[in-house]
Amino acid sequence: MSKSIELKKKAAEIRIRLMQMIHKAKAGHTGGSLSNTDILTVLYYHTMRHNPMEPKWNERDRFIASKGHSVESLWCILADLGYFPSSELDTFSQFGTRLIGHPNNKVDGIEMNTGALGHGLPISVGMALAAKRYDNDYRVFCLMGDGEQAEGSVWEAAMAGSHYKLDNLVGIIDRNGLQISGSTEDVMGLDPLDKKWEAFGWHVVSIDGNDIDALIETFDKVPSVEGKPTLIIANTVKGKGVSFAENAINWHHRVPSEEELALAVQELQAQIESLDSKEEPCHE
């Protein structure tokens, strides 16, 4: 199986599991987790250096989910990789669970508690700077939301990342165009987002953030420019992979009904079967 198809299938499997998890918990941020699944799939199954058997390995690449409310895809990936038992996903958002609605560093694979928007990139700058100071070659990846760009601390961190020439730092914006109260451009206009980040001294790449091949190609080039941090504007579809949730603002944190879950699983299974058919050997 090609790497690209393997990752596309994995992303569909993760989407199925997160929909099941949110349905069971009767809580969760569905739309943003679906939009960021392809990004996280490529990072964890292809790009980042990490080891579930040694989660505190010093040379691991660091990942910070600054848009911590969309943690469901991350929980499913960490469980699938063996950071904790998959059965624990059934406790998501239940009383006494470790798997709360934001990343929780009591769980192996989580670097820090996040979810108060605007905090992830400043801490990522500190981690990347520490790597430079201590002569470590790990990279730091920070996933932000597009609505999160309204936080002033993001831009303070952007200035610092450029000032310290942190080419081991990668910021990723899940640019799905929607936040809890509407379109990002109606709530707090961001465009031209690329020009703003470039003005802060970052190397900026804009890609289709739901295109596995584009993500592989882009992440394979990191660090992209010597002496500059990289900012990837990952243009995504909120609710990606589930037709009735795509680009629908009410799916920001809506819980699927039994019928909606069944339809979502059916659609995602069809995607997996379609990918399987592409891998069938050709007999002449």
Side-chain angles (χ1 to χ4, degrees):
M1 183 184 299
S2 74
K3 188 66 175 181
S4 173
I5 289 181
E6 178 185 343
L7 291 174
K8 289 173 184 176
K9 287 180 62 177
K10 180 59 69 176
E13 292 167 3
I14 295 300
R15 287 186 168 99
I16 289 173
R17 190 65 186 95
L18 77 84
M19 291 294 285
Q20 293 169 333
M21 185 176 71
I22 290 171
H23 172 74
K24 181 177 178 61
K26 296 181 172 54
H29 286 80
T30 309
S33 288
L34 289 169
S35 73
N36 73 30
T37 296
D38 298 305
I39 298 167
L40 296 185
T41 299
V42 175
L43 280 175
Y44 275 92
Y45 295 93
H46 174 72
T47 301
M48 291 200 310
R49 186 172 60 194
H50 64 103
N51 183 359
M53 300 300 103
E54 194 179 347
K56 298 300 182 184
W57 175 39
N58 192 53
E59 294 304 313
R60 71 191 182 281
D61 288 330
R62 273 67 164 168
F63 173 75
I64 302 297
S66 191
K67 56 170 295 184
H69 57 281
S70 295
V71 72
E72 292 82 1
S73 45
L74 179 57
W75 286 144
C76 292
I77 287 171
L78 292 179
D80 183 62
L81 288 167
Y83 280 94
F84 58 86
S86 292
S87 58
E88 195 171 345
L89 293 174
D90 290 334
T91 73
F92 172 65
S93 282
Q94 305 303 303
F95 178 73
T97 185
R98 299 188 302 164
L99 305 186
I100 57 177
H102 291 81
N104 170 15
N105 65 4
K106 293 180 181 177
V107 181
D108 285 342
I110 300 295
E111 301 290 344
M112 60 171 284
N113 299 342
T114 55
L117 297 176
H119 289 188
L121 190 63
I123 292 175
S124 298
V125 166
M127 290 178 169
L129 182 58
K132 293 286 189 181
R133 294 281 172 88
Y134 288 98
D135 226 10
N136 292 321
D137 66 352
Y138 64 77
R139 298 167 298 175
V140 182
F141 296 85
C142 178
L143 179 64
M144 298 173 280
D146 47 6
E148 185 177 0
Q149 304 305 295
E151 298 284 352
S153 52
V154 170
W155 299 100
E156 293 178 54
M159 282 192 289
S162 173
H163 175 77
Y164 290 110
K165 305 184 187 308
L166 300 179
D167 50 15
N168 58 342
L169 173 62
V170 182
I172 307 157
I173 299 175
D174 184 5
R175 184 71 166 118
N176 60 41
L178 294 173
Q179 57 192 105
I180 190 170
S181 50
S183 159
T184 55
E185 298 314 292
D186 290 336
V187 176
M188 181 66 71
L190 300 176
D191 288 331
L193 190 55
D194 55 347
K195 300 302 181 187
K196 290 174 182 175
W197 278 89
E198 286 171 358
F200 275 72
W202 289 55
H203 171 66
V204 179
V205 182
S206 185
I207 63 170
D208 180 344
N210 294 129
D211 183 333
I212 293 287
D213 296 300
L215 288 162
I216 291 171
E217 181 180 357
T218 301
F219 286 135
D220 279 354
K221 294 177 181 176
V222 172
S224 307
V225 176
E226 185 176 354
K228 277 192 173 187
T230 296
L231 188 282
I232 299 169
I233 300 175
N235 297 289
T236 62
V237 173
K238 196 152 190 170
K240 179 67 176 179
V242 177
S243 62
F244 52 85
E246 291 188 352
N247 285 318
I249 186 62
N250 63 319
W251 278 95
H252 181 82
H253 53 41
R254 180 174 166 179
V255 174
S257 65
E258 286 280 359
E259 295 76 14
E260 289 167 335
L261 175 62
L263 181 56
V265 171
Q266 181 181 358
E267 289 185 2
L268 291 162
Q269 286 286 9
Q271 293 172 27
I272 293 171
E273 290 167 10
S274 174
L275 290 164
D276 281 336
S277 69
K278 291 179 182 179
E279 283 295 303
E280 290 179 359
C282 179
H283 300 289
E284 296 185 4

